[in-house]
Amino acid sequence: MAENVYRIGWFSTGRDEAAGALLEAIKGSIDRGEMETEMAFVFSNREPGESECSDRFFDLVRGYNIPLVTLSYRRFLGEHGGDAGANGGRSREEYDRAVIERLWHFRVDICVLAGYMLIVGEEMCRRYNMLNLHPAAPGGPKGTWQEVIRQLIRNRAQESGVMMHLVTPELDRGPVVTYALFPIRGSEFDRYWAEINGYHDDESRARDGENVLFGLIREHGLKREFPLIIATLQAFSQGRVKIERGRVTDYRGYPLDGYDLTDDINRKLAG
């Protein structure tokens, strides 16, 4: 690997087709010269033979000649006392230490959690600057994407978004790194908001409107997720965004409350 290239560490369970699709999108962007980056490694908390879907993901990684490192979380717990909760979380901490040992010799500038189905602990967060995607705007709802959308509808929100945040031991609470916003009002949405608000005496009609609105919000968020991850890595590789001592800064070192990539993402989607 060239010394001046920005290096990415990639954490993924590889549990579904989206994991492979995202890796393909990132690799395609790198191959097109859209960012001066290299994939230093891909790490998975599954090992070959645990899942057909993960095995297909591993084949993709190997096909790209990216170093693949695996350590089965399920088997590790079995070898170290079984249920992590039964011994105060000790096994989870030990697992993270074992992962760090396997990745120690890789030099990386940033790590991305891309469908990584484990909560990383404090020691791992200290070791790496890690980014995670959250399907909401800064200051928006916490939780899964389903929980986020339900809260948006319940709160009669005007907009939503997707963001990348710095990973901390406190789930979904790390500093915002980048984000892209989108309205959930307007011609495409208002009919269904009206059905929710206007058919209190017709529960079936109101529920149908809510279901369609739920799907629309998910659709608009989902189509921004891959572009945001790619644009975020481009911004890091170009030095427009940095992480210094746990703080998100611009290229001058000035603190940022998140780098707004809304216009960039909208242009990509329009194109």
Side-chain angles (χ1 to χ4, degrees):
M1 293 184 181
E3 285 302 315
N4 60 341
V5 173
Y6 200 83
R7 291 180 173 84
I8 304 169
W10 200 256
F11 287 70
S12 179
T13 300
R15 71 187 182 109
D16 54 24
E17 292 182 2
L22 178 54
L23 185 65
E24 288 178 327
I26 296 296
K27 188 63 167 58
S29 181
I30 294 172
D31 291 346
R32 290 190 297 271
E34 296 172 354
M35 49 178 141
E36 292 285 329
T37 61
E38 289 181 338
M39 302 289 284
F41 65 81
V42 170
F43 174 79
S44 177
N45 59 296
R46 288 181 179 170
E47 293 175 353
E50 285 192 63
S51 162
E52 290 184 5
C53 197
S54 295
D55 286 348
R56 288 193 294 272
F57 177 73
F58 298 156
D59 288 341
L60 181 66
V61 174
R62 296 187 190 98
Y64 288 144
N65 293 318
I66 302 171
L68 173 65
V69 183
T70 64
L71 180 63
S72 170
Y73 181 64
R74 178 176 58 83
R75 292 173 183 166
F76 186 91
L77 289 187
E79 295 166 1
H80 293 74
D83 180 18
N87 48 32
R90 178 180 56 83
S91 292
R92 180 180 291 277
E93 294 172 1
E94 289 178 354
Y95 179 82
D96 278 359
R97 292 190 195 105
V99 172
I100 291 171
E101 288 178 5
R102 283 162 172 76
L103 300 177
W104 194 266
H105 63 287
F106 293 103
R107 187 172 73 79
V108 294
D109 297 291
I110 201 79
C111 289
V112 179
L113 303 185
Y116 186 64
M117 304 311 295
L118 291 180
I119 298 173
V120 298
E122 184 175 350
E123 191 168 347
M124 185 79 80
C125 293
R126 287 199 306 267
R127 171 63 179 164
Y128 298 111
N129 288 324
M130 310 184 85
L131 304 180
N132 190 38
L133 179 76
H134 182 61
K142 307 299 181 185
T144 66
W145 65 265
Q146 295 96 330
E147 293 167 339
V148 166
I149 296 175
R150 291 190 193 104
Q151 291 179 67
L152 291 171
I153 294 174
R154 188 183 312 122
N155 296 333
R156 304 294 194 263
Q158 298 291 318
E159 68 176 6
S160 186
V162 290
M163 68 175 177
M164 298 290 286
H165 65 89
L166 192 62
V167 177
T168 63
E170 190 176 4
L171 187 62
D172 292 339
R173 300 286 179 178
V176 177
V177 176
T178 59
Y179 62 91
L181 306 177
F182 60 90
I184 56 175
R185 300 286 179 154
S187 58
E188 192 173 1
F189 296 91
D190 285 350
R191 169 187 170 185
Y192 306 107
W193 282 112
E195 289 187 5
I196 294 172
N197 297 328
Y199 290 94
H200 300 295
D201 57 344
D202 187 343
E203 291 185 8
S204 176
R205 182 104 180 240
R207 186 166 54 250
D208 288 346
E210 182 171 336
N211 288 339
V212 175
L213 182 60
F214 185 99
L216 272 176
I217 295 172
R218 175 57 175 165
E219 175 187 337
H220 278 258
L222 193 61
K223 70 182 181 181
R224 286 166 170 81
E225 290 185 357
F226 282 19
L228 179 66
I229 295 171
I230 292 171
T232 298
L233 294 175
Q234 289 172 343
F236 272 100
S237 70
Q238 295 163 4
R240 289 182 283 136
V241 182
K242 299 180 180 181
I243 297 174
E244 297 181 350
R245 296 183 295 278
R247 297 185 311 151
V248 182
T249 74
D250 66 9
Y251 69 97
R252 299 163 297 181
Y254 292 165
L256 286 175
D257 290 326
Y259 187 53
D260 188 353
L261 289 168
T262 301
D263 290 343
D264 293 45
I265 300 307
N266 287 340
R267 280 193 295 270
K268 289 178 184 295
L269 294 177

